Amino acid sequence: EAGVTQFPSHSVIEKGQTVTLRCDPISGHDNLYWYRRVMGKEIKFLLHFVKESKQDESGMPNNRFLAERTGGTYSTLKVQPAELEDSGVYFCASSQGLRGSTDTQYFGPGTRLTVL
Amino acid sequence: QKEVEQDPGPLSVPEGAIVSLNCTYSNSAFQYFMWYRQYSRKGPELLMYTYSSGNKEDGRFTAQVDKSSKYISLFIRDSQPSDSATYLCAMTDYKLSFGAGTTVTVRA
């Protein structure tokens, strides 16, 4: 069974440009999470989807970040316009949703975003 | 103050040694405690998962939780070079809160 996949693996853009990150969760997983790790800091929660609905987006840094989950399948995270402080590794994770918050979250390999 | 404190290391040990990792936390609402292992350029992978205070063993790995002290530990016995990775503690009341991760190198 395929794990969580993320695309691209690495993106280098200039300040002010737009970048869209994609996450494909494990098939059948209702829960999808986005996390971010900026240099030297811990991994931080960004938001949580249950199917196509945003359950919690309290970790989104500002309105330059827009997350969507089309039809409850894959998800995209768009940063527009990108700023230098957005550089970091963006992780996606998914879980089945059988036990709510105690479900095991399976992480993708991450997208390394560099904003110049 | 961070919700979860973890010494980033790095930690270097010889093969066969016991690796001891720990985290402290401040949020009493945390109920579930995990340890993730992350290899370079990979995503975190769940290693151990505990709910209550006490010990949990899985092969060479032992996780300890002391809720009264808000302190969790991970021990790796008979460490191997393949255990070289970054180990992240994480805890949740709903969403995961991570420690900074400790980079461990096991020397052959």
Side-chain angles (χ1 to χ4, degrees):
Chain A
E1 180 183 328
V4 176
T5 57
Q6 293 186 246
F7 183 83
S9 58
H10 193 181
S11 179
V12 181
I13 61 171
E14 294 193 348
K15 177 183 171 181
Q17 289 186 320
T18 297
V19 64
T20 301
L21 314 180
R22 173 170 169 143
C23 169
D24 285 78
I26 293 172
S27 177
H29 280 193
D30 287 340
N31 293 283
L32 188 148
Y33 305 83
W34 283 99
Y35 294 86
R36 177 175 75 168
R37 183 171 193 160
V38 297
M39 182 76 76
K41 304 275 189 167
E42 61 275 10
I43 297 172
K44 287 282 197 184
F45 168 84
L46 296 179
L47 87 158
H48 171 209
F49 284 99
V50 177
K51 296 185 180 178
E52 67 275 9
S53 300
K54 290 177 187 174
Q55 184 78 8
D56 180 353
E57 52 184 329
S58 61
M60 294 287 262
N62 51 61
N63 58 11
R64 295 185 294 102
F65 289 75
L66 176 64
E68 294 179 325
R69 189 178 182 193
T70 306
T73 55
Y74 70 92
S75 174
T76 57
L77 180 64
K78 180 189 286 188
V79 185
Q80 178 182 31
E83 298 289 344
L84 299 179
E85 63 265 24
D86 300 332
S87 296
V89 182
Y90 290 76
F91 291 104
C92 174
S94 72
S95 69
Q96 276 191 307
L98 297 176
R99 294 180 295 155
S101 62
T102 63
D103 278 347
T104 297
Q105 293 185 28
Y106 297 88
F107 281 76
T111 292
R112 186 173 299 271
L113 175 64
T114 303
V115 183
L116 302 176
Chain B
Q1 184 190 8
K2 292 181 183 178
E3 273 195 314
V4 182
E5 296 277 0
Q6 182 178 8
D7 185 341
L11 186 62
S12 179
V13 300
E15 184 175 358
I18 295 175
V19 176
S20 174
L21 305 167
N22 56 75
C23 292
T24 59
Y25 62 95
S26 57
N27 187 348
S28 299
F30 289 142
Q31 297 186 51
Y32 301 91
F33 305 89
M34 297 96 168
W35 285 94
Y36 281 82
R37 178 175 60 194
Q38 186 179 15
Y39 292 113
S40 182
R41 304 288 175 171
K42 301 285 187 181
E45 171 194 16
L46 183 65
L47 202 57
M48 297 281 285
Y49 172 105
T50 54
Y51 169 65
S52 56
S53 285
N55 293 0
K56 182 176 181 179
E57 229 177 89
D58 184 1
R60 297 184 296 111
F61 298 88
T62 299
Q64 288 184 349
V65 174
D66 182 348
K67 285 186 175 180
S68 62
S69 301
K70 296 190 178 68
Y71 186 89
I72 70 170
S73 301
L74 178 71
F75 299 96
I76 308 173
R77 291 184 300 281
D78 187 26
S79 58
Q80 304 295 309
S82 58
D83 294 327
S84 299
T86 297
Y87 290 83
L88 304 123
C89 63
M91 40 205 81
T92 182
D93 53 349
Y94 158 64
K95 53 197 181 227
L96 287 176
S97 294
F98 282 90
T102 301
T103 300
V104 174
T105 301
V106 181
R107 309 185 305 271

